Amino acid sequence: MEYVLQMKNISKTFGEVAALHHVNFEVGTNEIVGLLGDNGAGKSTLVKIITGYHCPDPGGEIFWKQEKVSHLTVSKARDLGIEVVYQERALADLQSLWRNIFMGRELSNRLGVLDQRGMVRETRKLMSTAMGFTSSAVTPESTVGTFSGGERQGVAITRALYFEAELIILDEPTMGLSISETRKCLDFVDGIKQAGKSAIFIDHNIVHVYPVADRIVVLDRGTIAGQFQKGELKFDELIDRLTHLAQTGHLETNHPKAR
Amino acid sequence: MASANTTERPLSPAKERGKFARLLRKYALQIAIVFVALLLWAFFFWRSPLTWGSYAIYNSLMSTTPYFALMAIPLTLVVVAKEIDLSFGSIMAWGMAAFSVVFMALRDTNPQLGVYLGFLACLLAGLFAGWLNGFIVVKLGIPSLVTTIGTQFFWRGVVLVVTDGQGLGMTVVKETILYNLFVGRFLGVIPAQFLWTIAFGIIVWFFLNHHKFGAHVYLVGDNVDSARLMGVDVERTKIATFAVVGVAAAFAGFVVSEQVLFLWPTLGDGYLLNTLASVFLGGTSVFGGTGTVFGTFVAAFIIAIINPGIVAAGWTAYWTQLIYGFIIVVSVALQSILRKRLT
Ligand SMILES: Nc1ncnc2c1ncn2[C@@H]1O[C@H](COP(=O)(O)OP(=O)(O)OP(=O)(O)O)[C@@H](O)[C@H]1O
Ligand SMILES: [Mg+2]
């Protein structure tokens, strides 16, 4: 399989805390990878290394379409085509909706003068299509601090959608969403698959991950405990094995750990 | 394109009202500050119509308010970015110390050239001092409050060493165009520095509200983690805000010295309180993420009329300091209350 993203020997230490040790992780072209793991397993840390927010410890290597990327930064990752819905949503509460949508890559001319009209127009369009905002109280000028949890999520997801990405990472996007909103979010992940793009989907609810993922990777205390291809394992079996992992710290796999 | 059509259709009266209310809410702080200014002015006028009915007081306000308004305007950027700068007073003098070094070197051969190059040196020195503030805050991670208290003393010390504590006559400046350009009288009546302050205010306003740089200043001050996650160059943005204050302070120092045609090594003392008060009274939040250049500009003039207003009304000027302090505390307290109500 062709890989869009390949990470080799990735470790990350925060002072005393080793969040990741020697992780090998990859995402194939047009593959949806479900990433599972307990609280504190290191999922978000892995995500933030992919997006250039954290720098991995020396020795780790990152490849984008078989090309080695050194010194990945957030803006570089975005230029490569990596978009993220962060677990913490990464919004600026006192700023308007349109400023949040275009945060960090405002539409502007070459001198940096903002195209405010353009951004407001695009935001209004996105509101009625992607975000599905129905409340008439919400306008592109509304500050996002006043939004409901679901609306905030909608903003974060829409923002990732807007800038057509090659690889979209969703870190617990369904957290706090209603059933219908969750459905929409999962449809969105399916849409990524249909569009020929790749995704990493993190969710604590296996029921959400299982149907949409091509491959499921289980992270446990900073290491890859195992992975399963779609269809290799029935849903119930997966649950059994994850429960077993939680109890014993050991995950049975049909394959050797390192692929 | 259904959404585009709905916006072009004429708005119903109810929608029109909603839009009006929204605009009102958006500019509430700016409208309020203008009302405060007018009320205060009317009050002082009532207490002393003689003073406030003559042009002299306005001439004097337009000459002296720029001294700190020039710094309060860019300081707004720093505060919006959730930082603070207390060193600008010393940077005023440090810029002029750089001026004096260059000027003295050329005084005997080409004093006019000395003024021009000295002016350039002054701005560069201010730029450097501002950049250094930002560098220390961002790269070493030291809180800006501590950093700029430190650099405040440091630059004052440098000035005293460089000038040996002596003043410097600047009458030569009168022979250069810089004099008329910065402190002359436009059309014979309007102090040039007032027009420069307006121009500078418009430029900073433009950058804050219509440029990527300003967008990033708001984002950094609002939520620095979000900004960083979304690829905003937090470091560069913060350093730039400090650097602008540095240049502006040096420029203000030059304007003050030009006006009095003398360079005092104590230049900049006494500007701290009114500059900070202008920013906070102008509605810029100490919590970062919100603030306007317009608010700061109007507030600077409110601060400026307090002292003459009190004196003209026949009260003792000792009240001034008390009122400045009171204004800072009250406006910051109001921001805290507003913030709790909004979020
Ligand atoms: N910036 C940081 N500084 C210090 N420690 C950190 C930092 N970020 C994460 N950690 C630690 O690294 C470990 C992994 O955290 P991470 O956020 O990656 O977990 P996670 O798998 O995303 O968990 P959750 O499901 O709760 O989101 C945790 O022990 C966490 O405390
Ligand atoms: Mg996480």
Side-chain angles (χ1 to χ4, degrees), chain B residues 134 138-139 220 228 232-240:
Chain B
V138 162
K139 300 287 180 189
V220 164
R228 202 171 271 135
V232 171
D233 193 334
V234 173
E235 276 76 28
R236 209 176 57 188
T237 305
K238 282 195 180 179
I239 291 176

Side-chain angles (χ1 to χ4, degrees), chain B residues 205-271:
Chain B
W205 164 83
F206 180 81
F207 271 91
L208 184 59
N209 291 301
H210 294 280
H211 194 272
K212 266 189 162 178
F213 168 63
H216 292 178
V217 170
Y218 279 119
L219 291 169
V220 164
D222 191 338
N223 190 331
V224 72
D225 294 321
S226 297
R228 202 171 271 135
L229 283 170
M230 298 313 284
V232 171
D233 193 334
V234 173
E235 276 76 28
R236 209 176 57 188
T237 305
K238 282 195 180 179
I239 291 176
T241 61
F242 282 104
V244 181
V245 173
V247 182
F251 180 67
F254 187 80
V255 172
V256 175
S257 308
E258 243 190 342
Q259 181 78 71
V260 297
L261 290 174
F262 198 83
L263 161 56
W264 300 95
T266 53
L267 171 67
D269 276 356
Y271 287 111

Side-chain angles (χ1 to χ4, degrees), chain A residues 43-45 87 171-172 202 204:
Chain A
K43 303 180 299 294
S44 297
T45 305
Q87 186 172 4
D171 195 350
E172 301 192 21
I202 300 173
H204 281 292

Side-chain angles (χ1 to χ4, degrees), chain B residues 71 87-94 96-97 152 155-161 163-168 253 256-257 260 262-272:
Chain B
M71 297 186 287
S87 67
F88 48 83
S90 296
I91 295 179
M92 287 172 87
W94 152 242
M96 287 313 287
Q152 177 191 17
W155 292 120
R156 183 65 66 196
V158 170
V159 170
L160 292 174
V161 169
T163 62
D164 205 14
Q166 303 292 307
L168 175 71
V256 175
S257 308
V260 297
F262 198 83
L263 161 56
W264 300 95
T266 53
L267 171 67
D269 276 356
Y271 287 111
L272 186 63

Side-chain angles (χ1 to χ4, degrees), chain A residues 148-183:
Chain A
S148 76
E151 285 170 333
R152 295 167 63 83
Q153 231 107 325
V155 176
I157 293 175
T158 310
R159 181 169 62 184
L161 253 178
Y162 179 74
F163 300 91
E164 316 213 312
E166 291 281 323
L167 171 65
I168 297 178
I169 305 172
L170 300 119
D171 195 350
E172 301 192 21
T174 62
M175 193 174 56
L177 290 190
S178 69
I179 294 172
S180 69
E181 290 294 319
T182 302
R183 187 68 255 156

